[in-house]
Amino acid sequence: MKWRHETPYSVVSIEGKLILDGTDQLKNEIKGIVEDKDIKQLIVDLSAVDFIDSTGIGMLISLYKYQAERHAGLVVVSNHSRVDKVIEITKLGLILPCLNSLDSAVDHIQSNGMD
């Protein structure tokens, strides 16, 4: 997990597989950093994730709900066909913004007054 803090957003980049093993720990680490740094706009970059299961989708929904409770935002970035297929099948894009590039995510935040 790698972090990049910009104004007015922060990016957490995740690599590998987003599956049952380790998702709770990852979710708690992300929530801890978000709270400590009072991050209002979080971009979860899944560009380097090559597989995601239902637990990974659940983690993203949990982070989205956490941000919503804080009156903050979350955008997901994915450009891997397998991950995109799972996002499409689960209809995650109907719940939260799922975009195909970091630039698109930043544009989304700025154009929706989320900064």
Side-chain angles (χ1 to χ4, degrees):
M1 175 174 67
K2 296 177 188 171
W3 282 90
R4 188 174 94 212
H5 302 284
E6 303 280 337
T7 302
Y9 61 88
S10 293
V11 179
V12 58
S13 299
I14 302 171
E15 299 177 351
K17 296 179 180 1
L18 197 50
I19 57 174
L20 177 63
D21 186 34
T23 20
D24 273 344
Q25 180 181 350
L26 181 62
K27 175 182 67 179
N28 291 332
E29 287 177 29
I30 292 170
K31 282 182 176 181
I33 292 170
V34 164
E35 187 172 334
D36 286 346
K37 298 199 177 286
D38 194 29
I39 296 170
K40 296 297 181 193
Q41 302 309 324
L42 177 62
I43 299 173
V44 180
D45 184 4
L46 303 179
S47 298
V49 171
D50 57 6
F51 185 81
I52 186 169
D53 68 6
S54 60
T55 310
I57 295 293
M59 183 195 85
L60 294 172
I61 293 169
S62 176
L63 290 172
Y64 175 74
K65 289 169 67 175
Y66 177 73
Q67 283 292 85
E69 289 169 0
R70 299 176 60 248
H71 304 287
L74 182 138
V75 179
V76 173
V77 172
S78 170
N79 59 11
H80 192 286
S81 60
R82 278 190 274 179
V83 174
D84 291 345
K85 187 69 173 170
V86 173
I87 288 172
E88 179 185 338
I89 289 169
T90 60
K91 304 208 183 299
L92 183 65
L94 297 175
I95 299 169
L96 57 97
C98 298
L99 305 168
N100 63 2
S101 74
L102 190 53
D103 288 340
S104 296
V106 172
D107 288 346
H108 177 81
I109 288 170
Q110 292 172 339
S111 67
N112 287 292
M114 298 172 74
D115 56 354

